[in-house]
Amino acid sequence: MLTYQTLPARHVSEFAAAVREGLLKPGQRELPSKYLYDEVGSALFEAICLLPEYGLTRADARLLQKHAVEIVERLPSPIHVAELGSGSGKKTRWILEALSQRQRTYYFPIEISPSALAACEKELGQIDLVSIVGYEQPYLEGLRAVAQGRDEDAHLLVLFLGSTIGNFDRAAGEEFLREVREILQTGDALLLGTDLEKSVETQLRAYNDAAGVTAAFNLNLLARINRELGADFALSNFRHEARWNNEERRIEMHLHSTRQQCVKIPAASLRMMLNEGDTIWTESSHKYRQADVVGMAERTGFKCDGQWVDKEWPFAQNLLVVR
């Protein structure tokens, strides 16, 4: 059975403050990408993962299915598993089943979405010798709680799958890895997923699919602000836009204003004008080279102990061990 260790619910004021700050940024308006993932957004993202244009999730899963036994063989025993942003937990099954062949395993999914935690328990709750304790908390707070509560002789494997590290600016991503490292100790490890560089055309198709699911995912952020903050965004006045930033080696998602318009967000005490062509930047997805990950590991207190790369869709699973 899944149990929850929770923080007090986030107040509307926190969301409103983040929206106000981002939309008032000079030069380029922004909204934090974490707010894309409400219940509707999470469901849309699950649909994105099934799209033919979006090969990342299938590559992630293929690598775990093929190499899970090899990955866990490199880890000490006993070991607990904590996952940052578990989602439904489908890909995690391969790691947990490999570990369950040698030990009883405690699995701690860390999510801010209660519906994702429930889906995770449903997906993984029947694996023999695996106990699940969910943490409805931000990544680092949940990881600290897991690390503090671990058995004295237990090591910790942290899973950060998919391409979530790519949502951070590169400097911020490295700082995040340093913070993870500070929570861990000798014998612990981090399994990090990184999307690798590929043709610009392929990347743009992955973030602007023909069926319009990614567009719906992006536009849902405005719908969420309408629902939760009383805003009056007219979604028909915006279109989804995916861009490749060659200098930063990242895909950017924007919401493009198709006309001059005035938007009011009462809960954020905000009234703003948007001109035709103005955009709101909602998400980045940085792409890596294999050598980038090795260097990033060294700079943040880890050593890259192994890399597994998918042949169909350039994507890597990277096992980083605590130095």
Side-chain angles (χ1 to χ4, degrees), residues 45 54 56-57 59-61 63-65 68 71 81-96 107 124 139 157-168 176-177 190-195 308 315-319:
F45 184 72
Y54 194 80
L56 188 158
T57 302
D60 194 11
L63 290 173
L64 293 170
Q65 182 177 7
I71 290 168
V81 179
E83 183 166 10
L84 308 180
S86 62
S88 64
K90 290 179 181 178
K91 295 174 294 186
T92 312
R93 171 177 294 276
W94 306 109
I95 294 291
L96 296 180
Y107 169 58
L124 302 174
Y139 293 155
L157 170 64
V158 180
L159 305 178
F160 201 29
L161 305 176
S163 62
T164 308
I165 190 65
N167 296 149
F168 293 88
F176 179 78
L177 293 184
L190 169 67
L191 186 62
L192 178 69
T194 51
D195 199 23
W308 296 266
F315 182 93
Q317 300 288 3
N318 310 274
L319 184 62

Side-chain angles (χ1 to χ4, degrees), residues 11 28 32 42 50 57 70 83 88 138 155 169 196 208 211 223 227 238-239 274 298 322:
H11 296 292
Q28 175 63 67
S42 295
L50 301 175
T57 302
E70 181 184 353
E83 183 166 10
S88 64
H155 300 290
D169 287 343
L196 304 181
N208 192 18
R227 289 191 297 268
F238 293 86
R239 63 174 172 82
L274 287 164
E298 293 291 336
V322 173

Side-chain angles (χ1 to χ4, degrees), residues 201-268:
E201 182 182 2
T202 298
Q203 293 179 137
L204 288 173
R205 280 201 306 266
Y207 292 85
N208 192 18
D209 59 278
V213 182
T214 309
F217 170 68
N218 202 12
L219 287 162
N220 177 64
L221 179 51
L222 300 184
R224 179 181 183 181
I225 296 172
N226 286 351
R227 289 191 297 268
E228 298 183 20
L229 303 183
D232 61 355
F233 281 105
L235 272 61
S236 60
N237 291 342
F238 293 86
R239 63 174 172 82
H240 166 70
E241 183 177 300
R243 302 176 182 173
W244 171 249
N245 184 322
N246 193 57
E247 183 178 352
E248 298 294 338
R249 292 188 288 137
R250 70 186 178 209
I251 290 285
E252 297 174 2
M253 292 203 321
H254 290 254
L255 291 164
H256 179 109
S257 174
T258 60
R259 55 173 292 179
Q260 187 178 63
Q261 55 187 307
C262 176
V263 177
K264 298 184 287 297
I265 310 176

Side-chain angles (χ1 to χ4, degrees), residues 55-56 58-59 62-63 198 202 309-315:
L56 188 158
R58 291 184 292 279
R62 277 193 299 268
L63 290 173
K198 50 191 69 65
T202 298
V309 179
D310 188 70
K311 294 180 180 178
E312 294 181 41
W313 177 279
F315 182 93

Side-chain angles (χ1 to χ4, degrees), residues 34 46 52 134 186 204 291 312:
K34 67 180 181 179
E46 288 289 323
T186 302
L204 288 173
E312 294 181 41

